[in-house]
Every structure is written in structure tokens, then in C-alpha cells.
Amino acid sequence: MVFEFKLPDLGEGVAEGEILKWMVKEGDQVKEDQPLVEVMTDKVNVQIPAPRSGKVAKILANEGDIAKVGQTIVVIDDGSSGAVIPAPTQGLASPARAVPAQQTQPTQASPGVLATPATRRLARELSIDISAVRGSGPQGRVTDEDLRRTVAAPRVVPSATVQAEVPAAHGAREEVVPLRGMRKIIAERMVKSKQTAAQVTHVDEADMTELVLLREAFKGSAEKRGVRLTYLPFVIKALVPALREFPYVNSSLDEQAGNIVLKKYYNIGVATDTEQGLVVPVVKDVDTKDIFELAGEIEKLAEKARGGQLALDEVRGSTFTITNVGAIGGLFATPIINLPEVAILGLHKIAKRPVVRDGRVEVRDITYLSLSFDHRVLDGAYAARFTSRVIETLQDTKKLLAEVF
């Protein structure tokens, strides 16, 4: 029997995924639950196991292709009958149809041009007319290398041609890097966020002098527990009373239903810088954990994020996000909201600055906090009061100690 395996529902809000790597090839025998393919979604990389044992009869999605949830990506034949195999489709816009088993050529968007879906996609990204490219592959197939040679080759421009209308040629001193993978997903998510939410950023400063001392006092205890104590767990705990007092900050906007969904739980997304791009693992139920538990969980999630080993459940369900650029530097930034949330808090470097206290100039440990928020849900005054509440807790050791344990 032939089994058409479709890209499964990978969870909350995931509609498609990029085929990163096949662990098998056509003709291979696979066993049920054996790693089959690695797929990257806008939330996480995930390995999908084989749904059953059999022979890989046909792979319908090349590495680099974008597959929709419900799209047939591979056909597995268990050998019980001479069943049909779906023919490959151009790209992955619709599920493949079953046809009698036979050798087929890829569907061609340009007449007379042989090219894989991934190569056609690269041609679109590089703004190349694939029909004008001479292919060097078997039977004249256009390859990725053919496209790159076309981009690098000098172009002869007729004198009557207006220069502004001719795409710039890339010479030996330039490198063309296709926008794909995690970078492409991040780009799409950031544009969607900016185009969807009415984003405004409120900036305030916080005196972290007492918190610096408090962290130093607890670092030894944290080390005995095998965790590295940063400022992030303290800030997360300071968020909890503020999110309780200002529940609309801990919400999402359901545009289709016309509802604001207030969350009664506190799952904090922690933006993490990785070689592949920005990933946001989620620390769940932060109100129930002390600073040592939070520190350990943040460290573990960050390591998994950098290793590309996060599970889907570890990157979904956040109600509010923090992005910490303090170790990198800069005064402050205007972070982009992590949809479908309505706000994100930017943390920045703590630096000694002269400030006026009781009419005297003192040197204190100061930082800036920047809250980007969706003005469709939160008014400016509401967002400012929320930020002030967070700062109040951070600056008051007694209030903070009441939250951290």
C-alpha cells in the first residue's frame, strides 16, 4: 500500500515549514518513528519521524522548499500492493495528486526549462528570468550554480537603455546570499508585526543600584545550585505584579473575533541570539518559580536554542516577551512586538551615571527600559504606568524580595 505523508500540524499558528534536511533518500527502507525529515517553522526546527515502515517511493519536497501544513511531502510504499505514486508538483502550493507510477519530469513554470522547485525559487529571489539561463545539468537542467554564474557575469547594457531600469550586476567584490531559512522567517515575522500592530515605544530609566547588590549577594547560592544568576530572573519576577495590576499588557488581540484575550497565566518569552537568528524560548508559569529555578531554566533553554534543539512546546504559549541587549551595549532600542502578544520589554546595559538624589549628585547604576506596545490595545498612559510599576519593584529591595522566592 502506498501512503501519502502530508506535512502535519506542527502546533499553534504554524501554517507552513521549510524543508531543511531529508534524513532519507528515494529507495531507502525506513522504519516507523525513524527520523525522516527536518522542518523549520517560524517558531522552531523540528524532526518529523516516519509515520510507518516501508520504502521511500517518492520525495515531493526538495530541501529549501516551503511546504504547507497538509501538503504531501513524501510517499512511502509498504510493498503490499502496486499502488499509485503522486506526481511531483511545481513548488508546493497544493497537495500532490495520485497518478500511475512512472518516471516524470518536474512541472515547468517556464516552457522548455528544466529546473527543480528550489532552483526556481532561487531564481525568483535573485530576480533572474530562468528561461534566459543556459542550463549545465543533465538534459540542460538549470542548476543553482548556473544562476549564480549568471548573477556574477558582467552585463552588456545597450546605450539606449535607461540605467536606472537595469538591475545592478554583482561583481567579484560582492557576494549574493539568498534570503532563506531562519533569516527569511525572521524577516517575514518582523514585517508582519510592524504592518499589523500600531507599535509605539515608551522609554524610562531605572536605578538598579540596589538590584546590583542583591544579585551579588545571591550569586554564591546560585553557583552552589549549579546555575549562573543574571539580572534577567529578577526582572522577570518584577514583571509579575505589574502584569497582574495591568492585565491588558498580558494579553493578545483576536482580530477575527474582535476580542482582547486577557491571560491569567504568566509565560515569558526570552529573545535569544543564536547563529541561526533570533529565537524566543518560553519560560512557563514564572510566578510559581523562584529566581534560581528561573535562572536554571533560562540557561537550559538558551543552550538548546543555540544548538537548534528546542521542542515546539518550548517556543509557544508566551504571553509577554523580554529582549535583553545589555551585554551588547547601546543606550536603548525599540524592540518589535512578538505577535500575537501586545507588548515587549527591552532591557539594556547597566552603567554608572551621575544622578541627582535629594539635591546631591550621586553615581548610581542606571539602565533604560523600553516598552514597545500595540496602541490598538494599550494607551500610552497605561503603558507608562505599567513600566513605572516594573521599575518601582526593581528599585525597592523589599518588594523585589517578596517576589523572588
Side-chain angles (χ1 to χ4, degrees), residues 200-323:
V200 182
T201 302
H202 171 79
V203 180
D204 204 344
E205 67 176 14
D207 187 338
M208 306 286 272
T209 305
E210 300 302 324
L211 179 55
V212 170
L213 297 175
L214 190 63
R215 173 176 170 262
E216 284 297 320
F218 284 112
K219 278 177 66 175
S221 298
E223 289 171 1
K224 290 178 182 178
R225 290 170 168 82
V227 297
R228 186 171 67 93
L229 186 61
T230 66
Y231 292 105
L232 198 51
F234 292 98
V235 177
I236 288 176
K237 295 303 288 188
L239 281 172
V240 174
L243 291 172
R244 285 196 183 110
E245 186 174 339
F246 299 91
Y248 283 84
V249 182
N250 198 57
S251 72
S252 61
L253 177 60
D254 184 343
E255 293 186 72
Q256 284 191 328
N259 295 324
I260 298 172
V261 183
L262 305 180
K263 311 294 176 65
K264 304 294 185 179
Y265 51 94
Y266 308 96
N267 296 345
I268 306 300
V270 180
T272 304
D273 185 30
T274 74
E275 289 185 0
Q276 295 76 37
L278 196 66
V279 181
V280 187
V282 181
V283 184
K284 306 286 180 66
D285 299 316
V286 298
D287 55 320
T288 66
K289 299 169 182 174
D290 63 34
I291 56 168
F292 302 125
E293 292 173 303
L294 290 177
E297 193 167 338
I298 291 168
E299 192 170 9
K300 181 183 71 174
L301 289 171
E303 288 175 0
K304 292 181 73 173
R306 296 185 184 105
Q309 299 173 328
L310 287 168
L312 191 60
D313 186 59
E314 293 172 323
V315 293
R316 62 185 181 184
S318 58
T319 60
F320 185 89
T321 294
I322 292 179
T323 178

Side-chain angles (χ1 to χ4, degrees), residues 7-20 37-48 181-182 185-186 189 274 276-282 301 304-317 338:
L7 184 67
D9 185 350
L10 298 173
E12 179 184 273
V14 176
E16 63 184 20
E18 178 174 343
I19 306 298
L20 282 188
V37 62
E38 184 176 359
V39 178
M40 178 173 63
T41 74
D42 61 353
K43 295 178 179 292
V44 72
N45 293 5
V46 61
Q47 281 191 3
I48 299 176
M182 182 62 75
I185 286 172
I186 292 172
R189 287 178 62 82
T274 74
Q276 295 76 37
L278 196 66
V279 181
V280 187
V282 181
L301 289 171
K304 292 181 73 173
R306 296 185 184 105
Q309 299 173 328
L310 287 168
L312 191 60
D313 186 59
E314 293 172 323
V315 293
R316 62 185 181 184
N338 182 26

Side-chain angles (χ1 to χ4, degrees), residues 64 77 82 133 147 177 196 244 285-286 315 328 344 352 360:
D77 188 349
V133 178
L147 297 178
V177 180
T196 302
R244 285 196 183 110
D285 299 316
V286 298
V315 293
I328 300 173
I344 181 173
K352 292 189 179 297
R360 297 180 302 174

Side-chain angles (χ1 to χ4, degrees), residues 137-195:
Q139 301 178 340
R141 186 184 301 277
V142 177
T143 67
D144 289 3
E145 285 305 312
D146 295 329
L147 297 178
R148 294 190 177 96
R149 278 195 296 271
T150 300
V151 169
R155 303 182 183 185
V156 178
V157 182
S159 57
T161 302
V162 179
Q163 294 293 326
E165 296 178 358
V166 179
H170 298 274
R173 294 190 296 172
E174 295 180 344
E175 179 184 1
V176 176
V177 180
L179 181 63
R180 60 175 51 168
M182 182 62 75
R183 186 74 266 151
K184 186 174 190 296
I185 286 172
I186 292 172
E188 291 170 348
R189 287 178 62 82
M190 295 300 97
V191 170
K192 181 180 178 182
S193 180
K194 292 292 285 187
Q195 291 178 340

